[in-house]
Amino acid sequence: MEDAADHLDLDPRLLYPVVTPFVLWCWQDRGLDLEPGQVFRQAVIEQFVATGMPDYARGSRNTFRGRLLRVANVVGTASQRDLRPIGRSAPTTPYSTADIARLWSWSTSQNTPARQTDARVLLALGLGCGLAAREVLNLRVRDISPDGSLVTVPSGRQRTVSVDGLWRAPLADRVVAAGRDEWAFRRRRNSVDVGQITDFVQRHRTAEDIRVVRMRATWLAGEDPRGPTDHRPLA
């Protein structure tokens, strides 16, 4: 990666947030051998942009594709001719009540207490107050009221949001257990990087479609705002 960055006269820190989720997708979703010539091909990059970035806006997907193609021109085989236009995403279908129950089961099935808590916080911020992915990643514990009923979005479209129903309980638990200046989701990370939510979800394989953009669509549609019907603190 450093060689590609040097060749392109770019800071490697600008490439890692782009290349890392792409390579993970190639390995975990496509089962490709991680050889540069196999991975860094235009057809693979186009498929990743089309299907592997559901939470990203069109502008972000264009940026990812451009940078990946630049890397491919150095370490793989790619041409930027005849690129497919990136159209607007199809409307996102909200989760049903049954879907939400399965997502809650997913959160309780995580293999460590820390991951269970993070999964519940993710669901609470997405389904309980409709935050976007970047807002989830930028939120700190101090931005949540002690009882988990209010979340203050500190940057971008700044606002205070009321948390729906029993989705307040996972957030209140986080406030009790974490320091005020820690991140609300994945509290011990050192930065805000593209793909951290996707990376968290993919580390625990599941057939469920777990996307923040779909959680927000559910919140906007008002689907089952009560949240989980049985929230018990972890042992």
Side-chain angles (χ1 to χ4, degrees):
M1 188 55 58
E2 284 79 6
D3 291 342
D6 288 343
H7 185 87
L8 297 171
D9 195 24
L10 289 174
D11 187 329
R13 289 175 295 182
L14 296 177
L15 292 182
Y16 279 112
V18 174
V19 172
T20 300
F22 169 65
V23 172
L24 282 172
W25 176 83
C26 289
W27 173 47
Q28 295 177 336
D29 288 48
R30 289 289 307 279
L32 297 176
D33 292 332
L34 297 184
E35 294 291 335
Q38 292 294 316
V39 171
F40 287 98
R41 293 182 291 129
Q42 180 174 331
V44 178
I45 292 170
E46 291 273 21
Q47 187 176 6
F48 169 68
V49 171
T51 66
M53 304 180 65
D55 289 336
Y56 293 78
R58 179 169 52 175
S60 296
R61 287 185 284 156
N62 270 312
T63 298
F64 265 62
R65 180 171 66 176
R67 289 185 181 173
L68 288 171
L69 286 172
R70 292 183 69 187
V71 173
N73 284 328
V74 176
V75 302
T77 57
S79 169
Q80 294 192 36
R81 294 177 295 175
D82 301 324
L83 293 177
R84 298 176 183 175
I86 297 177
R88 296 186 182 274
S89 301
T92 302
T93 304
Y95 291 112
S96 67
T97 301
D99 291 332
I100 293 171
R102 287 194 296 271
L103 294 184
W104 183 252
S105 294
W106 164 80
S107 74
T108 64
S109 72
Q110 301 301 303
N111 55 11
T112 67
R115 282 190 58 87
Q116 290 176 26
T117 299
D118 276 325
R120 291 175 176 180
V121 168
L122 177 63
L123 296 180
L125 295 175
L127 291 167
C129 50
L131 299 197
R134 180 65 63 175
E135 293 170 339
V136 170
L137 292 171
N138 277 306
L139 199 76
R140 294 188 184 268
V141 173
R142 63 172 178 260
D143 302 316
I144 303 171
S145 65
D147 63 354
S149 65
L150 295 173
V151 166
T152 300
V153 179
S155 60
R157 192 162 63 89
Q158 299 178 19
R159 63 198 186 280
T160 298
V161 185
S162 178
V163 181
D164 289 329
L166 294 183
W167 290 116
R168 298 174 182 180
L171 299 182
D173 286 351
R174 174 60 94 199
V175 172
V176 170
R180 282 177 49 80
D181 292 332
E182 291 184 310
W183 302 109
F185 171 70
R186 299 183 71 177
R187 62 180 179 147
R188 300 197 185 280
R189 56 193 163 90
N190 296 317
S191 62
V192 175
D193 292 324
V194 173
Q196 286 174 327
I197 295 175
T198 301
D199 175 68
F200 175 82
V201 172
Q202 289 181 344
R203 284 180 185 274
H204 184 88
R205 296 201 175 195
T206 177
E208 299 298 331
D209 177 23
I210 303 171
R211 291 182 288 145
V212 174
V213 67
R214 194 172 175 192
M215 295 180 202
R216 176 167 169 75
T218 306
W219 178 80
L220 290 171
E223 180 69 44
D224 195 17
R226 297 166 298 165
T229 57
D230 180 18
H231 174 74
R232 291 177 291 232
L234 297 172

